[in-house]
């Protein structure tokens, strides 16, 4: 029973849920007892950095290289796999 909502600007988190504004400027009340916010993107290359001098062939791809769109990560994964 998880509802995922995107494109909202959160204006308040309360004991009963979230108050937000949608892309049309309409205020939306979302009831819930848990709120998860996904904010910002940061590359996470720690495992690559740890292994690159210990493993003969390593490839830094996807969000580990730079947070982007899923299609780019899939393309990079395909190219890395093809290079093997």
């Amino acid at each position: 029973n998880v509802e995922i909502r995107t494109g909202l600007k959160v204006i308040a988190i309360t004991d009963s849920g979230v108050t937000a504004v949608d892309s049309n400027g309409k205020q939306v009340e979302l009831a819930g007892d848990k709120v998860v916010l996904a904010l910002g993107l940061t590359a996470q290359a720690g495992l690559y950095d740890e292994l690159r001098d210990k493993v003969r062939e390593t490839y830094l791809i996807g969000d580990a290289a730079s947070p982007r769109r899923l299609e780019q990560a899939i393309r990079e994964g395909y190219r890395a796999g093809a290079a093997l």
Side-chain angles (χ1 to χ4, degrees), residues 12-84:
I13 298 175
T14 66
D15 290 337
S16 60
V18 173
T19 303
V21 177
D22 68 14
S23 59
N24 296 319
K26 180 182 174 188
Q27 189 166 310
V28 180
E29 300 289 334
L30 303 168
D33 57 358
K34 303 271 190 278
V35 177
V36 177
L37 300 174
L39 305 170
L41 303 171
T42 304
Q44 300 291 324
L47 181 60
Y48 172 81
D49 292 337
E50 194 176 314
L51 295 176
R52 69 177 162 189
D53 294 328
K54 299 175 183 166
V55 176
R56 183 177 41 156
E57 248 182 291
T58 56
Y59 298 88
L60 183 62
I61 62 171
D63 283 356
S66 176
R68 290 159 288 158
R69 300 189 64 80
L70 178 63
E71 297 83 14
Q72 293 165 313
I74 292 171
R75 187 178 313 114
E76 289 174 358
Y78 174 82
R79 287 181 183 153
L84 300 175

